[in-house]
Amino acid sequence: MVRSGHVGASETSLQGEGGRCVHLHHGTKSGLQTYAQAKAQALRLRKQETYGERNLWKPLRQLKMNFRRQAPIGPYVVDFAHFASDLVIEIDGYHHTLPERQVRDLERDAWFADNGFRVLRIDESELKRDLSAVVQQIVAQTTPPPTPALPSRGKGEKRYDVK
């Protein structure tokens, strides 16, 4: 299932995608990790890709649309990001069905929404079932809506009225 919505957390440890648990250093009052800690976590997570992340990264890379993998954004590390469209893509495996994880996901999504990002959550089983449809959905989310056409002045019309 692909879920889209506007998307912090106050826990002292964050669980990365695929159940990889990362304990935070208490670098801030709120317990959120600092950007430097998130960046270090991103480097570790790139080496520990989940099945879904690995299979989605290949077609996203081939699109040459500047997707980022395991990108640190604020105190979080997201699976994929497309900064040109402020889109965060999260691959949700089994652990996202657990009630405590769903609460943390909602808090995290709210932080992203408050900071101008949209979150697209993709169930890992959907990736296994129809990868090309998921990629098409992602591309559709990154494409800005068409801008309304400006009214035509008509050929030969004056640009302004000279008096």
Side-chain angles (χ1 to χ4, degrees):
M1 168 175 35
V2 178
R3 293 172 287 167
S4 178
H6 280 74
V7 183
S10 58
E11 65 266 15
T12 57
S13 69
L14 292 176
Q15 188 168 352
E17 299 302 315
R20 297 163 294 186
C21 190
V22 179
H23 298 284
L24 305 180
H25 306 287
H26 295 281
T28 62
K29 273 190 203 178
S30 67
L32 295 175
Q33 65 184 347
T34 64
Y35 179 78
Q37 291 166 333
K39 189 174 177 181
Q41 178 185 355
L43 292 173
R44 285 190 303 275
L45 292 176
R46 282 184 202 133
K47 295 175 184 175
Q48 303 171 356
E49 291 178 306
T50 65
Y51 170 85
E53 292 167 353
R54 186 174 37 257
N55 286 335
L56 183 57
W57 177 235
K58 189 174 183 178
L60 289 181
R61 241 176 107 188
Q62 290 172 344
L63 292 172
K64 299 193 183 292
M65 292 177 61
N66 295 322
F67 283 97
R68 300 289 309 269
R69 170 176 66 117
Q70 297 300 337
I73 300 176
Y76 299 104
V77 177
V78 300
D79 292 335
F80 300 98
H82 187 258
F83 289 106
S85 62
D86 294 326
L87 181 66
V88 167
I89 303 163
E90 292 286 350
I91 309 301
D92 290 348
Y94 162 77
H95 62 281
H96 287 273
T97 62
L98 302 173
E100 62 275 4
R101 184 59 201 198
Q102 290 176 345
V103 169
R104 291 198 324 227
D105 285 346
L106 287 173
E107 292 170 350
R108 183 178 162 109
D109 291 356
W111 186 92
F112 287 120
D114 291 345
N115 288 280
F117 290 92
R118 294 173 297 126
V119 175
L120 179 64
R121 291 196 169 274
I122 301 168
D123 192 86
E124 194 171 45
S125 64
E126 185 70 22
L127 280 175
K128 292 176 183 176
R129 193 176 10 223
D130 196 353
L131 179 61
S132 63
V134 170
V135 171
Q136 289 174 356
Q137 172 74 18
I138 292 169
V139 170
Q141 292 284 327
T142 61
T143 307
T147 56
L150 296 174
S152 173
R153 288 192 316 250
K155 192 168 184 163
E157 284 186 31
K158 294 180 183 177
R159 290 182 183 224
Y160 48 85
D161 192 19
V162 180
K163 294 185 181 191

